[in-house]
């Protein structure tokens, strides 16, 4: 059988229902209080520290982390449920998003004790925020070609180089940066000789410059690091093993419900905007989006169950992200066909958010072309 | 969620593998393959999922669905799902014994009855009730074949004593479920055949699978096939958990819409990848793609099901949408 991709059964355990009820009730109350207005793409653009701290106080962050660092040691499926509810409600969750999703788990896995104790509890409280320091001006899809360097000095490392497209670096305290700790020419193969560090973005020698999005928003940054000192204990994992560590994170980064739900709030608004008795063409278009979303959500759950069972469904995650991000982009295309501008302010705002953020969906976290390459390799043609 | 015994899968895969070679599938067009039909009935595979009390083999809807998907994957030239998923279910619901022989299901008046020309038993579904009759009690009118040579006819029932049973709409939905399952299997087969061909066929001195654009096609096909499978599996899980009529309509509509939509994408790419040979009757791909083009239209095309589903979603309003999405698949009690 050629197709080796597997999506085993996909039912969430019934035990997740309790936390779903709790987070839904919390979100309904916040909505009623007017703490937030539902927006699209809020996991990347809705940076709201007070909301993140509230989530921390409610115990909705770091659910899977060890209790020692403030976590609850709950299953990844409980986290899945909390996260998908936050996304569906369009709540502002960008401040803690990267920290809670990947920086915390990376630090727990690869950081030393001092670093864990210093940073993880703040992530769980919704106070400590992280960005991702991977891409560089000449290194996008070909991440292994990065040129930023770390040089060993007394008591730590000195880092030089430039990172770009660094989401929210101007609002967050830290990023995890991938750099060359051994020059490419001396490393044994281009994937060797890279290391990961936690870098305090407030350190001397760090310059953060805005790169405005086409919408005018300040989201991206260029982070220039000039002789930035990083103490030894902030190195993650093993020197030279940075690439493998980054790859290990990918299944987590790529399979989450955020890869299908970025424009969900617009879909819900669309259902209201077309009214209770739309034309059969409009009904059919909405139902097609709904049908695909329910199918892709099943695949997402299946990947989450595989991860929870200790497998590494990297290819399956890539496949789901390819499909999911396409769906995210189609929702505004359908919405604008069915509803003219000016019908409702809420709809117009969500549509505008969605149209203007759509180009990013199929780029961030690995472009869809790269994802399909990963799937093709698993299919045995590469 | 429910797991299907791997032994059942192994058995049905080997039966279809032995008996559904492309020449046999081709030779059966216009009718059915009697050898395969007999093998399925003698082994009890054709009635897996139907209660033993009415003469079925027992087992779950998940078992029957796994067999239906395998039938789709292998282009099984028999009216298996008319019995195992549609007509047999009507009998079960109505407390009627399963009749012998190939079955067709007459749903309402004037509709095409798939497989009627080769059926010996007819399940009749009307607004006033349901019945099981033999070929002696029906008259076949206008007839034809779908793109894959599977026969249909319009059927007039001359005599039937009706008993209470599932509604016309509910049986139409079972038909859509059956086609969704067949399509889920066949879609993954079209994707698999394409991978295989990409490794075999060489141009410019290398397997065509080395060309990046074809790799991207294969990946897209794998994705659409997985999504179609997921939509069909959602339907099976929700129905098996005992959905009410509205919920059953919604989940079947979603399945038929997603699987039917995938046909347009996967068939197009499969033929593009296969070049001219795939466009001929010599290559086996066409048995799969012609079935897919047919099945997406049978028991309601996407337009019909999506419109019904969308009307139901719109009537419930935007706030009800997320709870509806998170209801599927049903949570597992462990
Ligand atoms: C909204 C958003 C947020 C982001 N946030 C961050 C962040 O916080 N931190 C960070 O480090 N990065 C971030 N990124 C960067 C992101 O990781 C890169 O955009 C991505 O890896 C692609 O790199 P690139 O943009 O340089 O495109 P390129 O790699 O230059 O690609 C350009 C085009 O060429 C195609 N291409 C490239 N290589 C191949 C190949 N081998 N085969 C086929 N096609 C190919 C691509 O698919 C794409 O279509 C973000 C990006 C976006 C859009």
């Amino acid at each position: 059988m050629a197709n080796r991709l597997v999506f085993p059964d996909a039912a969430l355990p019934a035990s997740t229902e309790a936390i779903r009820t709790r987070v839904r009730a919390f979100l309904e109350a916040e909505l009623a209080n007017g703490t937030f207005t539902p927006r699209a793409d809020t996991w990347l653009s809705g940076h709201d520290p007070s909301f993140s701290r509230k989530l921390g106080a409610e115990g909705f962050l770091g659910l899977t982390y060890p209790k020692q660092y403030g976590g609850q040691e709950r299953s990844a499926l409980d986290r899945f449920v909390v996260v998908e509810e936050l996304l569906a409600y369009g709540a502002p969750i960008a401040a803690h998003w990267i920290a809670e999703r990947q920086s915390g788990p990376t630090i727990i896995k690869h950081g030393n004790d001092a670093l864990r104790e210093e940073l993880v509890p703040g992530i769980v409280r919704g106070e400590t925020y992280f960005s991702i320091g991977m891409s560089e001006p000449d290194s996008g899809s070909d991440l292994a070609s990065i040129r930023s360097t770390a040089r060993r000095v007394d008591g730590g490392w000195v880092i030089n180089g430039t990172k770009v497209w660094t989401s929210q670096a101007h609002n967050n305290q830290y990023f995890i940066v991938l750099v060359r700790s051994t020059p490419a020419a001396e490393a044994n193969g281009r994937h060797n000789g890279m290391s990961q560090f936690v870098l305090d973005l407030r350190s001397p020698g760090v310059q953060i410059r805005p790169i405005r999005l086409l919408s005018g928003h300040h989201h991206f940054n260029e982070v220039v690091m000039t002789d930035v000192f990083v103490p030894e204990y902030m190195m993650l994992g093993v020197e030279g093993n940075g690439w493998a560590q980054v790859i290990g994170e990918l299944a987590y980064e790529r399979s989450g419900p955020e890869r299908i739900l970025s424009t969900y709030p617009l879909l819900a608004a669309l259902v209201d905007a077309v009214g209770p008795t739309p034309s059969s063409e409009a009904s059919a278009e909405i139902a097609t989006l709904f049908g695909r979303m329910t199918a892709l959500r099943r695949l997402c759950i299946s990947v989450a169950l595989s991860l929870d069972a200790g497998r590494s469904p990297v290819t399956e995650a890539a496949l789901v992200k390819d499909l999911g991000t396409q769906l995210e982009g189609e929702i505004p295309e359908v919405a604008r066909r069915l509803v003219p501008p000016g019908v409702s302010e809420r709809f117009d705002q969500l549509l505008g958010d969605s149209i203007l953020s759509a180009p990013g969906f199929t780029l961030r976290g690995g472009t869809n072309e790269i994802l399909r390459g990963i799937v093709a390799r698993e299919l045995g043609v590469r | 969620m429910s797991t299907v015994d791997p032994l059942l899968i192994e058995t049905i895969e080997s039966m279809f593998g032995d008996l559904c070679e492309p020449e046999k599938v081709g030779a059966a067009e216009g009718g059915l393959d009697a050898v395969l039909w007999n093998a399925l009935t003698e082994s009890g595979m054709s009635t897996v999922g139907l209660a033993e009390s009415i003469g079925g083999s027992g087992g779950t809807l998940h078992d029957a669905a796994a067999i239906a998907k395998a039938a789709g994957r292998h282009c099984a030239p028999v009216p298996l799902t008319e019995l195992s998923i549609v007509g047999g279910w009507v009998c079960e619901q109505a407390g009627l014994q399963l009749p012998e022989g190939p079955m067709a299901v007459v749903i309402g008046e004037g509709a095409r009855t798939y497989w009627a020309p080769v059926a010996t038993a007819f399940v009749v579904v009307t607004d006033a009730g349901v019945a099981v009759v033999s070929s002696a009690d029906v008259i076949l009118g206008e007839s034809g074949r779908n793109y894959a040579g599977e026969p249909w006819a319009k059927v007039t029932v001359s005599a039937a004593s009706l008993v209470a049973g599932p509604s016309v709409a509910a049986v139409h939905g079972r038909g859509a479920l059956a086609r969704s399952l067949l399509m889920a299997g066949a879609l993954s087969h079209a994707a698999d055949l394409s991978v295989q061909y990409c490794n075999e066929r060489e141009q410019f001195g290398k397997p065509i699978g080395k060309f990046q654009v074809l790799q991207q096609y294969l990946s897209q096909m794998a994705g659409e096939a997985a999504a179609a499978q997921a939509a069909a599996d959602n339907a099976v899980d929700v129905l098996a958990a005992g959905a009410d009529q509205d919920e059953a309509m919604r989940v079947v509509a979603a399945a038929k819409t997603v699987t039917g939509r995938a046909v347009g994408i996967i068939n197009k790419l499969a033929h593009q990848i296969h070049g001219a040979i795939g466009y001929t009757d010599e290559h086996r791909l066409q048995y799969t793609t012609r079935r897919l083009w047919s099945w997406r239209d049978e028991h309601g095309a996407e337009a019909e099901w999506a419109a019904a589903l969308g009307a139901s979603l719109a009537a419930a309003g935007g706030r009800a949408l997320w709870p509806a999405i998170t209801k599927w698949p049903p949570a597992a009690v462990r």
Side-chain angles (χ1 to χ4, degrees), chain A residues 21-61:
Chain A
T21 308
R22 202 151 74 72
V23 70
R24 241 179 229 183
F26 165 79
L27 287 163
E28 288 292 342
E30 293 298 308
L31 264 185
N33 290 340
T35 335
F36 71 94
T37 313
R39 301 289 293 260
D41 203 35
T42 50
W43 61 274
L44 219 65
S45 52
H47 201 288
D48 182 346
S50 67
F51 195 80
S52 291
R53 282 195 294 268
K54 217 175 242 183
L55 289 173
E58 292 284 335
F60 291 134
L61 302 182

Side-chain angles (χ1 to χ4, degrees), chain A residues 1-3 5 7 9-14 17 20 24 28 84-85 88-89 261 264 267-268 271-272 274-276 278 280 283-284 286-288 290-299 301 305 319 322-323 330 368-369 371-373 375-376 379-382, chain B residues 1-3 73 191-192 195-196 198-199 209-210 212 215-216 218-220 222-224 226-227 229-231 233-234 237 250 254 257-258 261 302-303 305-307 309-311 313-315 317-319 321-334:
Chain A
M1 187 101 306
N3 192 339
L5 295 162
F7 293 94
D9 282 334
L12 286 170
E17 286 308 308
R20 187 188 299 286
R24 241 179 229 183
E28 288 292 342
E84 72 169 354
E85 292 292 324
Y89 275 78
L261 294 175
Y264 173 77
L267 183 60
V271 168
D272 286 330
V274 297
S280 59
S283 296
I286 289 170
T288 303
F290 171 88
R292 289 168 67 202
M293 183 165 281
T294 53
L296 298 190
R297 180 171 172 274
R298 182 187 179 96
L299 298 180
I301 294 172
L305 286 163
L319 178 142
D322 178 22
L323 295 169
E330 278 173 51
N368 288 38
E369 290 72 24
L371 299 174
R372 288 180 200 157
V375 174
L379 294 174
V381 286
R382 267 183 79 194
Chain B
M1 184 167 81
S2 157
T3 40
R73 205 157 41 239
D192 289 347
V195 172
Q196 199 182 319
C198 276
N199 282 324
K210 294 293 165 202
Q212 195 186 42
Q215 293 172 0
Q216 301 263 315
L218 293 177
S219 172
Q220 262 175 285
E224 295 298 340
Q229 175 100 12
D233 289 346
N234 269 346
D237 285 353
R250 282 184 169 200
T257 301
V258 173
R261 173 184 173 278
E302 298 97 272
W305 283 108
L309 172 58
L313 296 172
R319 284 181 59 81
L321 192 67
W322 181 244
I325 288 172
T326 49
K327 240 171 141 177
W328 305 343
V333 184
R334 295 208 182 102

Side-chain angles (χ1 to χ4, degrees), chain B residues 278-297:
Chain B
Y279 187 41
T280 67
D281 72 352
E282 280 168 40
H283 195 281
R284 61 189 300 177
L285 175 65
Q286 48 99 7
Y287 294 120
T288 295
T289 54
R290 283 191 291 136
R291 277 175 173 72
L292 285 168
W293 281 317
S294 304
W295 292 339
R296 67 175 172 178
D297 288 342

